[in-house]
Amino acid sequence: MNEALRALQSQTLLPGVKGLPLQAPLAQDRIAAQGYCVLDGRLSYPVAVLRQSTLDHNLRWMREFAERAGALLAPHGKTTMSPQLFQAQLEAGAWAITLATVPQLRVAHRFGVRRVLLANQPVAYADIESLAALLREDEGFEAWVLVDSSAGAARLNEVVRRHAPQRRLPVLVELGLSGGRTGARGIDAALALAGEVAAASHLRLAGIEGYEGLWTGADRAADLQCVQDLLAQMLDATRRCDRAGLFDGEEILISAGGSAYFDLVADAFAGLDGLSRPLRRVLRSGCYLTSDHGLYHGLQQEMRTRHGAEFRHGLQPALELWAMVQSRPEPGLALLTLGKRDASYDVELPRPLQWHRPGEPAPWPLREARIARMNDQHAYLELPPEHPLQVGDLIAVGISHPCTTFDKWPLMLLSDDSYRVVGAINTFF
């Protein structure tokens, strides 16, 4: 653990920290000693809770999956932007941490991450200069970046030549599909770009990259075909670049695998062999750490269908938000102390899971209820008019797509399985 991470763990929290009922300063590493329990109603609701045992299970399960697949993990850190969770992933065997922006990369470096895959093409000169300065100042820090255009490669080469001339920047050519996000469109474009990277004075072609997780719509057959098409193009591009002698370095890197189809990516990558040098297969799943109760829960079900027993005890939801009933203004309606500033809603609204009355033994499942809409600070919970829920009761919700919940919480609580608070993590968005 580096000094910055130690300081973060022991920092002083002041009254006003979201979720904590602080009336005086408190050292963060003293949170567990306060005896807080999510279920006793003593916290400031809403609170975001990560169940420690589920995090541990997901870390262990994903490490074992990658080992069986012959792949390495570079989990996407933008999901959590939490130095403590980066550290947990690295300690569980992650090869690197993936980030989306240079400021995110800077945060990871500050807290001790030594190997980063930047899964974007940096274009702002200020960002490329910042990366080049870091490479110049810290010889032991490793970073890979993406390019998908001649213009992007030229900007990278120009800045690295001026600001970090002693290092050639390892670059992955990104492949994309028509209508998708970034990425060179088609094999011919990717090969031409690979040739330009290989010829650049301060870049070196390190591998091929793609992102298959965009296709998660209602037409599952069409989505899966898009995924397979992209993977086939990536394998073809890797083989052809290798035959052309364009890769530079002791190994070739191929990377994809968000949290939606990492099983299909691992299967495809496993069949890529016969290259001129060793192949490093890198999966970049980020949401595996917490999973969710919506989008990724459904995609996990699909993986279980594809693989059976291997996925039977797969990834589990580790993240819950707990809110308090603030008002019962009408039969069949409860207003919760939870809103858009607290929970993701970009994929779907939060899902009610259970309810609890402080002082009673255990929570109850919350069936036949739904969150119909949210304002900034309120959620509209529709439920049967005769339901006994009352003001002051607690509601747990699950979310869909953890990325856009983490960015709403500078501090999240860690709990044991009885919801006793055992610690906290921080985020940097």
Side-chain angles (χ1 to χ4, degrees), residues 4 17 25 85 96 101 122 185 208 245 305 311 358-359 385:
V17 172
L85 296 181
T101 68
R185 300 307 202 242
I208 300 295
T305 300
F311 278 70

Side-chain angles (χ1 to χ4, degrees), residues 62-143:
M62 196 65 179
R63 181 191 65 225
E64 293 171 354
F65 172 84
E67 289 173 350
R68 289 194 303 271
L72 296 170
L73 291 176
H76 219 316
K78 74 178 176 67
T79 300
T80 69
M81 280 309 297
S82 170
Q84 294 97 333
L85 296 181
F86 294 171
Q87 182 71 17
Q89 290 171 309
L90 292 168
E91 289 176 353
W95 171 74
I97 298 293
T98 298
L99 286 311
T101 68
V102 171
Q104 290 177 1
L105 179 150
R106 279 283 186 170
V107 169
H109 177 266
R110 187 198 325 162
F111 287 103
V113 176
R114 306 299 297 153
R115 186 182 291 125
V116 162
L117 198 163
L118 188 66
N120 263 324
Q121 174 176 267
V123 292
Y125 283 119
D127 286 337
I128 305 172
E129 289 168 359
S130 177
L131 174 59
L134 190 55
L135 294 172
R136 183 181 65 246
E137 295 160 6
D138 187 346
E139 294 183 359
F141 179 68
E142 298 180 86

Side-chain angles (χ1 to χ4, degrees), residues 64-350:
E64 293 171 354
F65 172 84
E67 289 173 350
R68 289 194 303 271
L72 296 170
L73 291 176
H76 219 316
K78 74 178 176 67
T79 300
T80 69
M81 280 309 297
S82 170
Q84 294 97 333
L85 296 181
F86 294 171
Q87 182 71 17
Q89 290 171 309
L90 292 168
E91 289 176 353
W95 171 74
I97 298 293
T98 298
L99 286 311
T101 68
V102 171
Q104 290 177 1
L105 179 150
R106 279 283 186 170
V107 169
H109 177 266
R110 187 198 325 162
F111 287 103
V113 176
R114 306 299 297 153
R115 186 182 291 125
V116 162
L117 198 163
L118 188 66
N120 263 324
Q121 174 176 267
V123 292
Y125 283 119
D127 286 337
I128 305 172
E129 289 168 359
S130 177
L131 174 59
L134 190 55
L135 294 172
R136 183 181 65 246
E137 295 160 6
D138 187 346
E139 294 183 359
F141 179 68
E142 298 180 86
W144 287 254
V145 305
L146 308 187
V147 294
D148 75 350
S149 68
S150 298
R155 291 168 81 92
L156 278 174
N157 192 61
E158 174 194 350
V159 175
V160 175
R161 178 184 58 79
R162 287 191 287 112
H163 292 277
Q166 80 283 10
R167 298 191 51 183
R168 297 179 70 201
L169 182 65
V171 168
L172 309 178
V173 167
E174 182 177 27
L175 265 167
L177 295 180
S178 178
R181 204 161 60 188
T182 51
R185 300 307 202 242
I187 294 293
D188 291 341
L191 291 176
L193 179 57
E196 293 176 25
V197 170
S201 61
H202 284 75
L203 307 179
R204 68 176 180 87
L205 184 65
I208 300 295
E209 184 273 349
Y211 176 60
E212 80 297 338
L214 291 174
W215 291 278
T216 57
D219 189 340
R220 305 303 300 130
D223 288 343
L224 292 171
Q225 188 60 56
C226 285
V227 172
Q228 298 291 3
D229 289 347
L230 178 61
L231 293 173
Q233 287 191 29
M234 290 180 63
L235 300 187
D236 188 22
T238 303
R239 292 189 180 100
R240 292 171 66 173
C241 285
D242 188 45
R243 288 198 298 268
L246 299 179
F247 291 122
D248 184 11
E250 296 180 355
E251 60 193 16
I252 298 167
L253 194 152
I254 187 169
S255 178
S259 300
Y261 304 110
F262 60 81
D263 63 320
L264 299 179
V265 173
D267 288 346
F269 285 1
L272 182 58
D273 53 20
L275 302 177
S276 65
R277 62 198 76 191
L279 179 66
R280 191 178 292 276
R281 304 169 177 89
V282 178
L283 304 179
R284 300 196 312 276
S285 309
C287 296
Y288 79 86
L289 182 57
T290 65
S291 196
D292 69 9
H293 290 86
L295 173 66
Y296 292 114
H297 177 75
L299 292 167
Q300 279 283 305
Q301 296 291 90
E302 291 186 13
M303 291 186 196
R304 291 185 181 96
T305 300
R306 288 196 289 267
H307 295 274
E310 181 185 2
F311 278 70
R312 185 172 300 140
H313 302 292
L315 303 175
Q316 304 296 324
L319 173 60
E320 297 175 3
L321 303 184
W322 282 80
M324 189 167 273
V325 177
Q326 187 176 64
S327 178
R328 285 297 312 265
E330 305 167 12
L333 177 65
L335 275 295
L336 309 182
T337 59
L338 174 91
K340 293 179 179 179
R341 297 189 186 276
D342 312 302
S344 56
Y345 56 95
D346 55 323
V347 175
E348 62 178 283
L349 290 167

